Coordinates of all heavy atoms in Angstrom, one line a residue:
T182 N 8.8 -106.8 -89.5 CA 10.2 -106.8 -89.6 C 10.9 -105.6 -88.9 O 12.0 -105.8 -88.3 CB 10.6 -106.8 -91.1 OG1 10.0 -107.9 -91.8 CG2 12.1 -106.9 -91.3
A183 N 10.2 -104.5 -89.0 CA 10.8 -103.3 -88.3 C 10.8 -103.5 -86.8 O 11.7 -103.0 -86.1 CB 9.9 -102.0 -88.7
I184 N 9.8 -104.2 -86.3 CA 9.8 -104.4 -84.8 C 11.0 -105.3 -84.5 O 11.7 -105.0 -83.5 CB 8.4 -105.1 -84.4 CG1 7.3 -104.1 -84.6 CG2 8.5 -105.6 -83.0 CD1 5.9 -104.7 -84.4
S185 N 11.2 -106.3 -85.2 CA 12.3 -107.2 -85.0 C 13.6 -106.5 -85.2 O 14.6 -106.6 -84.4 CB 12.3 -108.4 -85.9 OG 11.1 -109.2 -85.7
M186 N 13.7 -105.7 -86.2 CA 14.9 -104.9 -86.5 C 15.2 -103.9 -85.4 O 16.4 -103.7 -85.0 CB 14.8 -104.2 -87.8 CG 16.0 -103.4 -88.2 SD 15.7 -102.1 -89.5 CE 14.7 -101.0 -88.5
S187 N 14.1 -103.3 -84.8 CA 14.3 -102.3 -83.7 C 14.9 -103.0 -82.5 O 15.7 -102.5 -81.8 CB 13.0 -101.7 -83.4 OG 12.5 -101.0 -84.5
A188 N 14.4 -104.2 -82.2 CA 15.0 -105.0 -81.1 C 16.4 -105.3 -81.3 O 17.3 -105.1 -80.4 CB 14.2 -106.3 -80.9
I189 N 16.8 -105.7 -82.5 CA 18.2 -106.0 -82.7 C 19.1 -104.7 -82.7 O 20.2 -104.7 -82.2 CB 18.4 -106.7 -84.1 CG1 17.6 -108.1 -84.0 CG2 19.8 -107.0 -84.4 CD1 17.6 -108.8 -85.4
A190 N 18.5 -103.7 -83.3 CA 19.3 -102.4 -83.4 C 19.5 -101.8 -82.1 O 20.5 -101.0 -81.9 CB 18.6 -101.5 -84.4
T191 N 18.6 -102.0 -81.1 CA 18.8 -101.4 -79.8 C 19.5 -102.3 -78.8 O 19.6 -102.0 -77.7 CB 17.4 -101.0 -79.3 OG1 16.5 -102.2 -79.2 CG2 16.7 -99.9 -80.1
N192 N 19.9 -103.5 -79.3 CA 20.7 -104.4 -78.4 C 22.2 -104.1 -78.6 O 22.9 -104.9 -79.0 CB 20.4 -105.8 -78.8 CG 21.0 -106.8 -77.8 OD1 20.8 -106.7 -76.6 ND2 21.7 -107.8 -78.3
G193 N 22.6 -102.9 -78.3 CA 23.9 -102.5 -78.4 C 24.1 -101.6 -79.7 O 23.2 -101.3 -80.4
M203 N 23.6 -106.6 -88.6 CA 22.6 -107.2 -87.7 C 22.4 -108.7 -88.0 O 22.5 -109.5 -87.0 CB 21.3 -106.4 -87.7 CG 21.4 -105.0 -87.2 SD 19.7 -104.3 -87.1 CE 19.3 -104.2 -88.8
P467 N 14.1 -97.2 -83.7 CA 12.7 -97.8 -83.6 C 11.6 -96.7 -83.9 O 10.7 -97.0 -84.6 CB 12.6 -98.3 -82.2 CG 14.0 -98.4 -81.7 CD 14.8 -97.4 -82.4
C611 N 15.8 -112.2 -84.6 CA 15.1 -111.7 -83.4 C 14.5 -112.8 -82.6 O 14.6 -112.9 -81.4 CB 14.1 -110.6 -83.7 SG 13.3 -109.9 -82.3
T615 N 15.6 -114.2 -78.9 CA 14.6 -114.1 -77.8 C 14.3 -115.5 -77.2 O 14.3 -115.7 -75.9 CB 13.3 -113.6 -78.3 OG1 13.5 -112.3 -79.0 CG2 12.3 -113.4 -77.2
W622 N 21.4 -110.5 -74.8 CA 20.2 -110.1 -75.5 C 19.4 -109.2 -74.5 O 18.6 -109.6 -73.7 CB 19.3 -111.2 -76.0 CG 18.1 -110.9 -76.7 CD1 16.8 -111.1 -76.2 CD2 17.9 -110.2 -77.9 NE1 15.9 -110.7 -77.1 CE2 16.6 -110.1 -78.2 CE3 18.8 -109.7 -78.9 CZ2 16.1 -109.5 -79.4 CZ3 18.4 -109.1 -80.0 CH2 17.0 -109.0 -80.3
R623 N 19.7 -107.9 -74.6 CA 19.0 -106.9 -73.7 C 18.6 -105.7 -74.5 O 19.1 -104.6 -74.2 CB 20.0 -106.5 -72.5 CG 20.5 -107.7 -71.7 CD 21.3 -107.2 -70.5 NE 22.4 -106.4 -71.0 CZ 23.6 -106.9 -71.3 NH1 23.8 -108.2 -71.3 NH2 24.6 -106.2 -71.7
P624 N 17.7 -105.8 -75.5 CA 17.4 -104.6 -76.3 C 16.6 -103.6 -75.5 O 15.8 -103.9 -74.6 CB 16.5 -105.2 -77.4 CG 16.0 -106.5 -76.8 CD 17.0 -107.0 -75.9
R625 N 16.9 -102.3 -75.8 CA 16.1 -101.2 -75.1 C 14.7 -101.1 -75.6 O 13.8 -100.6 -74.9 CB 16.9 -99.9 -75.3 CG 18.2 -99.8 -74.5 CD 18.7 -98.4 -74.5 NE 20.0 -98.4 -73.8 CZ 20.0 -98.2 -72.4 NH1 18.9 -98.1 -71.8 NH2 21.1 -98.1 -71.8
F626 N 14.5 -101.6 -76.9 CA 13.1 -101.6 -77.4 C 12.4 -102.8 -76.9 O 12.8 -103.9 -77.1 CB 13.2 -101.6 -79.0 CG 11.9 -101.6 -79.6 CD1 11.2 -100.5 -79.8 CD2 11.4 -102.8 -80.1 CE1 9.9 -100.5 -80.4 CE2 10.1 -102.8 -80.8 CZ 9.4 -101.6 -80.9
K627 N 11.4 -102.5 -76.1 CA 10.7 -103.6 -75.3 C 9.5 -104.1 -76.0 O 8.9 -105.1 -75.5 CB 10.4 -103.1 -73.9 CG 11.6 -102.6 -73.1 CD 12.6 -103.7 -72.9 CE 13.8 -103.3 -72.0 NZ 14.8 -104.3 -71.9
Y628 N 9.0 -103.5 -77.0 CA 7.7 -103.8 -77.6 C 7.9 -104.9 -78.7 O 7.5 -104.7 -79.9 CB 7.0 -102.6 -78.1 CG 6.8 -101.6 -77.1 CD1 7.7 -100.5 -77.0 CD2 5.8 -101.7 -76.1 CE1 7.5 -99.5 -76.0 CE2 5.7 -100.7 -75.1 CZ 6.6 -99.6 -75.1 OH 6.4 -98.7 -74.1
Y629 N 8.5 -106.0 -78.4 CA 8.7 -107.1 -79.3 C 8.3 -108.4 -78.6 O 8.3 -108.5 -77.4 CB 10.1 -107.1 -79.8 CG 11.1 -107.6 -78.8 CD1 11.5 -108.9 -78.7 CD2 11.7 -106.7 -77.9 CE1 12.4 -109.3 -77.8 CE2 12.5 -107.1 -76.9 CZ 12.9 -108.4 -76.9 OH 13.8 -108.9 -75.9
S634 N 7.9 -111.9 -84.3 CA 9.0 -112.2 -85.2 C 8.8 -113.5 -86.0 O 9.1 -113.5 -87.2 CB 10.4 -112.4 -84.4 OG 10.6 -111.2 -83.7

Side-chain angles (χ1 to χ4, degrees):
T182 303
I184 293 174
S185 300
M186 183 199 68
S187 299
I189 298 175
T191 57
N192 187 50
M203 291 188 293
C611 181
T615 306
W622 180 246
R623 303 185 301 274
R625 291 190 177 276
F626 181 77
K627 302 299 182 183
Y628 304 101
Y629 71 94
S634 300

